[in-house]
Amino acid sequence: MDDNHDDEEIKVQDESITPNKKNKLAEAEALIEASKELVAKVDSDVAECKVGISSAAEAFDTAKKTFNEVTFKNSEALLEKVGFDYTTFEERDAFELAVDSDDDEAFSVKSLNSGRFTGLLLAIFVALLTVMAWIYLAMTKLGIDPNSITTLDNATAQINPILTWIGGDMISANGNMTIGALILGFSALIMAWLVYAIRINFKAKKNLHIAQETFDKTNEYCSTQEACQQEMIKVDSHLREATQEITNLDMILNEQVSILKRIIHVEGIYDHEKDYHPSSKKVMRETEKIMRTAEHLVSTAITQDKKLNFQSVQALNTAKGIYSEYLGRIYD
């Protein structure tokens, strides 16, 4: 992944969603949507890298097993027959191949609650409360005892004087029941709308704050995942090169095995009185050198603290040098 490209993409998205928005809720929703897209993209890229590493690790493991169980054992057995003491490489650290990010749980972006439903419920409640307040006030001014209203007929009978009082009697004007009903309805509607607007505005501010925090955390998460992805790419490339070098060393070591078999056939198996030809001893030393290099390559941890291990890089470079040196003696 191109870091500069991603930085530009995040910057463009950030600039495109913050200014010139109709309201805070739209800004918050745009930020959340941008966060989801960024997380989805970076997670997809990381997952793709993991698949590549898994394939490279499997190929490396196969080449390693083939080398250890066949070629290396044959070489070790033949060196033993010619009396050459080979000491197996001892691992100083446990073999590690791990490149996952430190996050145990996947990062997720939660959708926002607009507050419309709760705002509607509050608005209905306040509207009813407003109507009840008007009715209670009118009954108090008219001297109507609420306890006297025990039946539907009693309640219906009191509606007209209550609406008439609200429609003008309260200000010593000619009361009108229709005007009273309109005042009652409009006041309830205005109070409901006011409460709904306050609720939505409050929720929008809160959502915008949450969305901005989420967007900032998303950028941090993406930066961490991108760094992890870059490390994965390094490890993937290293694994493929290491697999190729194991194959190369396996090939030249097999040639050494053939030469050792010829030495044993011509000069015989080692005993305390036998002294091999100088050229044969040179073959033994070269065989040991190749074995040591290959064993170091396959035994050194690929990663350390979930990053490409520098010692493994050194082991790979040494293996490349041995192979180049071997080819140089043949073709130069």
Side-chain angles (χ1 to χ4, degrees):
M1 178 183 290
D2 190 339
D3 288 340
N4 292 332
H5 174 73
D6 287 340
D7 290 341
E8 290 175 1
E9 180 182 0
I10 292 173
K11 183 179 179 181
V12 169
Q13 288 178 333
D14 194 6
E15 290 177 350
S16 67
I17 57 184
T18 50
N20 302 322
K21 284 295 175 181
K22 293 181 179 179
N23 54 60
K24 292 181 175 62
L25 181 59
E27 288 185 53
E29 289 175 348
L31 281 168
I32 291 297
E33 187 61 32
S35 298
K36 288 181 178 179
E37 290 177 3
L38 289 173
V39 170
K41 185 177 186 307
V42 77
D43 284 348
S44 175
D45 291 342
V46 169
E48 186 177 345
C49 279
K50 286 182 179 180
V51 171
I53 284 186
S54 178
S55 175
E58 186 176 346
F60 175 82
D61 191 56
T62 299
K64 177 180 175 178
K65 285 182 179 178
T66 300
F67 175 80
N68 284 337
E69 296 175 4
V70 181
T71 309
F72 187 85
K73 284 185 177 180
N74 289 341
S75 303
E76 195 173 25
L78 289 172
L79 284 181
E80 186 178 350
K81 286 184 178 181
V82 295
F84 195 96
D85 185 24
Y86 179 83
T87 305
T88 303
F89 171 74
E90 293 183 1
E91 297 182 29
R92 287 172 294 179
D93 300 313
F95 189 85
E96 177 191 311
L97 176 51
V99 288
D100 289 341
S101 63
D102 294 330
D103 295 327
D104 295 329
E105 298 181 0
F107 183 84
S108 61
V109 179
K110 295 181 180 179
S111 299
L112 296 174
N113 178 7
S114 66
R116 290 191 178 97
F117 180 71
T118 54
L120 181 61
L121 292 179
L122 281 173
I124 293 173
F125 175 75
V126 170
L128 292 174
L129 198 62
T130 302
V131 170
M132 291 174 63
W134 269 117
I135 293 173
Y136 178 78
L137 179 62
M139 292 176 69
T140 301
K141 294 298 183 181
L142 294 171
I144 300 172
D145 184 5
N147 295 324
S148 66
I149 303 176
T150 56
T151 65
L152 182 60
D153 291 336
N154 289 341
T156 304
Q158 300 300 333
I159 289 177
N160 291 345
I162 290 174
L163 291 179
T164 302
W165 182 84
I166 296 173
D169 285 351
M170 65 176 177
I171 57 172
S172 301
N174 292 328
N176 185 289
M177 189 174 65
T178 302
I179 294 176
L182 289 174
I183 292 174
L184 187 64
F186 275 116
S187 60
L189 184 62
I190 290 171
M191 290 300 297
W193 174 250
L194 183 61
V195 169
Y196 180 81
I198 292 173
R199 167 62 179 168
I200 293 300
N201 185 62
F202 175 78
K203 190 64 177 178
K205 288 181 179 179
K206 184 178 180 181
N207 280 347
L208 183 58
H209 179 71
I210 293 172
Q212 189 61 60
E213 282 188 346
T214 301
F215 190 73
D216 292 340
K217 289 179 181 178
T218 297
N219 283 327
E220 291 177 7
Y221 172 77
C222 288
S223 297
T224 300
Q225 292 300 94
E226 285 164 10
C228 181
Q229 182 188 358
Q230 292 303 316
E231 201 62 38
M232 288 181 184
I233 292 172
K234 289 182 190 177
V235 172
D236 180 80
S237 176
H238 178 81
L239 278 170
R240 296 179 191 278
E241 289 187 56
T243 301
Q244 182 59 51
E245 286 309 312
I246 292 173
T247 304
N248 292 340
L249 294 178
D250 185 86
M251 182 272 296
I252 63 177
L253 193 56
N254 271 318
E255 290 189 6
Q256 295 295 106
V257 165
S258 298
I259 298 173
L260 286 173
K261 287 180 179 179
R262 185 259 299 164
I263 291 173
I264 292 172
H265 178 75
V266 174
E267 301 183 47
I269 295 176
Y270 174 78
D271 58 42
H272 294 292
E273 297 179 358
K274 184 178 293 298
D275 187 20
Y276 288 101
H277 190 274
S279 63
S280 298
K281 291 181 179 179
K282 183 180 179 182
V283 170
M284 297 173 197
R285 290 193 299 271
E286 288 175 348
T287 302
E288 180 196 33
K289 186 177 181 180
I290 296 170
M291 290 174 65
R292 184 74 64 201
T293 301
E295 191 180 13
H296 192 262
L297 176 61
V298 300
S299 300
T300 302
I302 301 297
T303 60
Q304 188 175 43
D305 297 328
K306 298 184 179 182
K307 293 183 186 251
L308 182 60
N309 186 8
F310 180 68
Q311 292 181 353
S312 185
V313 174
Q314 288 181 313
L316 175 60
N317 291 334
T318 301
K320 288 179 179 179
I322 292 295
Y323 182 65
S324 297
E325 180 185 335
Y326 185 87
L327 294 181
R329 290 202 305 268
I330 298 174
Y331 296 105
D332 288 348

